[in-house]
Amino acid sequence: DVKVTQSSRYLVKRTGEKVFLECVQDMDHENMFWYRQDPGLGLRLIYFSYDVKMKEKGDIPEGYSVSREKKERFSLILESASTNQTSMYLCASTRGTGITYEQYFGPGTRLTVT
Amino acid sequence: AQSVTQPDIHITVSEGASLELRCNYSYGATPYLFWYVQSPGQGLQLLLKYFSGDTLVQGIKGFEAEFKRSQSSFNLRKPSVHWSDAAEYFCAVGAQGTGRRALTFGSGTRLQVQP
């Protein structure tokens, strides 16, 4: 089974802190994604990566950055956390580079910024 | 730009009743369409997908969906709902040739199942 794991299920941070969310997949997938999930808004794409050290902005990249130094690991960074970044963050991965491939999701990290 | 609309935020059905969740998309060419389910406390799981061919597709857990190009719809159906189907359901669309390499998700429909 493909497994996508996220470093924390719940995280509480203070405004202005630098926050790292980690995601690891164990199936040698090329593509990895970060979404945020908010009630009534569904999933919105923050960033995705189609190869090591390669990244592309999604629909809502402002306030976020990413890092992919190894194929299996994709990190989301909040440089200076703000209360409007309180949300559920979901990581996903897919085999191949086309949009037809199934996305495998991690369980999510619920981040609260106070 | 492509978009997905799920008009029903919340639906309640009785166990054993039939279910239809609506999804409408906006895209000029033939889209790639997906339905995902998110059970409480879990990540999303693929239920089914449509790329081409037969417009009625079968998925896991007894779900099916029908692609109707004339209505720009891809509605999800199940003939008899089980209590374990209570979850949030997301429709997603992808499109080749647009330069966008990721899916666009709808806002989701939360399904509640009454005993």
Side-chain angles (χ1 to χ4, degrees):
Chain A
D1 272 356
V2 175
K3 186 165 264 187
V4 179
T5 56
Q6 296 183 229
S7 49
S8 306
R9 293 298 300 269
Y10 300 93
L11 209 52
V12 180
K13 296 292 182 181
R14 293 189 182 274
T15 301
E17 277 192 84
K18 189 168 187 176
V19 181
F20 292 86
L21 303 183
E22 304 285 339
C23 175
V24 178
Q25 50 91 6
D26 66 357
M27 283 300 290
D28 202 36
H29 283 177
E30 284 83 0
N31 286 359
M32 296 187 74
F33 305 83
W34 275 107
Y35 297 92
R36 64 176 282 176
Q37 181 180 7
D38 299 289
L41 297 177
L43 275 70
R44 292 179 291 166
L45 181 67
I46 304 172
Y47 267 98
F48 74 94
S49 169
Y50 47 92
D51 203 348
V52 174
K53 296 189 186 297
M54 305 302 286
K55 62 188 179 185
E56 198 163 308
K57 291 181 180 179
D59 300 315
I60 52 165
E62 295 79 18
Y64 303 94
S65 62
V66 291
S67 172
R68 194 170 180 197
E69 297 296 317
K70 293 186 177 182
K71 192 174 186 179
E72 68 272 16
R73 188 180 297 270
F74 190 36
S75 302
L76 179 69
I77 304 156
L78 288 65
E79 295 289 343
S80 177
S82 64
T83 54
N84 63 13
Q85 292 179 308
T86 291
S87 186
M88 172 70 87
Y89 290 88
L90 295 173
C91 175
S93 70
T94 66
R95 176 177 62 87
T97 55
I99 58 172
T100 57
Y101 294 97
E102 176 179 354
Q103 293 197 18
Y104 293 86
F105 284 83
T109 295
R110 185 166 295 281
L111 172 67
T112 301
V113 182
T114 62
Chain B
Q2 64 208 46
S3 66
V4 181
T5 302
Q6 293 181 248
D8 303 306
I9 297 171
H10 187 220
I11 282 184
T12 301
V13 301
S14 298
E15 191 167 15
S18 64
L19 171 71
E20 183 168 28
L21 301 182
R22 296 183 291 163
C23 172
N24 293 98
Y25 66 90
S26 171
Y27 179 61
T30 299
Y32 299 116
L33 295 158
F34 304 78
W35 274 100
Y36 282 82
V37 60
Q38 184 181 33
S39 298
Q42 301 193 19
L44 278 71
Q45 179 186 22
L46 180 67
L47 281 176
L48 46 78
K49 58 189 177 185
Y50 171 78
F51 298 155
S52 64
D54 192 348
T55 57
L56 185 63
V57 294
Q58 302 297 320
I60 63 171
K61 306 185 181 190
F63 285 92
E64 66 178 28
E66 186 171 12
F67 171 60
K68 292 185 177 180
R69 181 189 303 276
S70 61
Q71 298 176 20
S72 298
S73 69
F74 188 56
N75 294 350
L76 182 71
R77 301 193 296 245
K78 187 169 185 177
S80 178
V81 170
H82 187 262
W83 63 266
S84 61
D85 293 324
E88 190 155 21
Y89 293 80
F90 294 92
C91 183
V93 63
Q96 291 282 36
T98 62
R100 180 178 174 87
R101 292 198 264 190
L103 301 181
T104 299
F105 284 82
S107 55
T109 297
R110 184 167 295 279
L111 174 66
Q112 187 173 354
V113 180
Q114 286 182 335

